[in-house]
Amino acid sequence: MKKYLIYCGMLTMIALSGCQAGGETDNEALSPNNPNAINVADHNDLYNKEKDNDTDYGYVRYQKSPVANDTEKAQNIATLDREEAADSISKLSSAIPNVNDVATLVTDEDVLIAYKTDTKDRNATADQVKRTAMSIMPRYYHVYVSDNPQHIQDIERFSEANTKAESVEESIHLTIKEMLKSPQGRKMNDGENANGEGKNELNEHVTDEKMK
């Protein structure tokens, strides 16, 4: 029995000396700067930033942090890049048959799309353009389209405008009213009109006639 205890003691001493020789204490092993460290916070999400967007599915899982009042992850949530969204909408819409020139403006709640077309079915084309934008934007956005080429210049003038200015918002609302004179396509569903607006959330530039 004594020989066994001596043997165990020798193994313990060897193990401790090995750790010291490696220059790594228990605290260092658990340090966030250690690539092999186990950090509880690391298990709160699963997000592979190196996935191939062309061949892989998009999958992200988040778990609430076990640390009370941990708001770091909430602060790091990405916001919508309006310029990138407008680029995607214009690019995809220009691929629709008979749509030759597309301009898109994305605000904090609306998408305005003006385009040139030689289509024979204006309403069907408007529906395609509108639903293309709907497929990209968060669902609370409202989308307005117009095949009047004049509206391309009208929305282009807002590209460098100050989004905080009340006069700009008012001008956008007036532009939307003019755009509504063009076909808007079919209503989205029984609860939303053609622009994605619910019966109880109409913007001030929208009339009840649009819900018919």
Side-chain angles (χ1 to χ4, degrees):
M1 184 65 180
K2 289 183 179 180
K3 291 183 178 180
Y4 176 75
L5 292 175
I6 293 173
Y7 177 73
C8 290
M10 292 178 62
L11 290 178
T12 302
M13 292 178 64
I14 293 173
L16 290 174
S17 62
C19 290
Q20 291 175 354
E24 181 177 85
T25 65
D26 289 346
N27 290 334
E28 289 173 336
L30 295 177
S31 169
N33 296 324
N34 186 336
N36 297 319
I38 297 175
N39 191 326
V40 175
D42 292 339
H43 295 284
N44 292 336
D45 63 85
L46 178 59
Y47 177 29
N48 185 359
K49 297 181 179 180
E50 298 180 357
K51 290 174 71 68
D52 187 337
N53 292 330
D54 293 331
T55 60
D56 295 327
Y57 292 119
Y59 173 78
V60 178
R61 177 182 176 182
Y62 275 91
Q63 294 178 336
K64 183 178 291 186
S65 172
V67 181
N69 300 321
D70 182 8
T71 59
E72 180 180 355
K73 288 187 179 296
Q75 293 173 349
N76 291 333
I77 294 177
T79 57
L80 175 68
D81 187 323
R82 298 174 188 173
E83 190 78 9
E84 184 175 339
D87 177 75
S88 297
I89 293 171
S90 292
K91 188 177 298 182
L92 291 174
S93 296
S94 64
I96 296 174
N98 304 109
V99 176
N100 307 311
D101 189 1
V102 186
T104 303
L105 177 73
V106 176
T107 73
D108 58 342
E109 61 180 0
D110 300 316
V111 177
L112 286 64
I113 309 171
Y115 55 94
K116 295 180 181 179
T117 180
D118 54 5
T119 182
K120 294 182 179 180
D121 191 337
R122 295 175 62 199
N123 197 60
T125 299
D127 195 64
Q128 286 181 289
V129 173
K130 173 193 65 185
R131 291 178 187 274
T132 295
M134 287 287 192
S135 69
I136 294 174
M137 302 304 298
R139 200 59 189 87
Y140 62 84
Y141 265 82
H142 304 144
V143 179
Y144 308 92
V145 299
S146 172
D147 57 5
N148 182 345
Q150 178 60 44
H151 290 150
I152 293 179
Q153 285 73 36
D154 289 342
I155 67 175
E156 183 178 348
R157 62 194 173 98
F158 296 118
S159 61
E160 301 295 333
N162 185 342
T163 59
K164 302 297 182 180
E166 292 184 6
S167 58
V168 172
E169 186 173 356
E170 183 179 351
S171 296
I172 289 177
H173 289 173
L174 291 174
T175 300
I176 289 175
K177 283 185 177 180
E178 291 300 313
M179 294 177 69
L180 290 173
K181 295 178 182 180
S182 296
Q184 300 296 304
R186 296 175 290 115
K187 67 179 182 179
M188 295 303 296
N189 51 56
D190 290 338
E192 295 178 323
N193 64 11
N195 305 108
E197 297 162 332
K199 293 181 179 180
N200 297 321
E201 62 168 3
L202 296 179
N203 291 337
E204 57 248 53
H205 49 258
V206 179
T207 63
D208 291 337
E209 294 181 358
K210 290 179 54 192
M211 294 302 300
K212 296 180 181 179

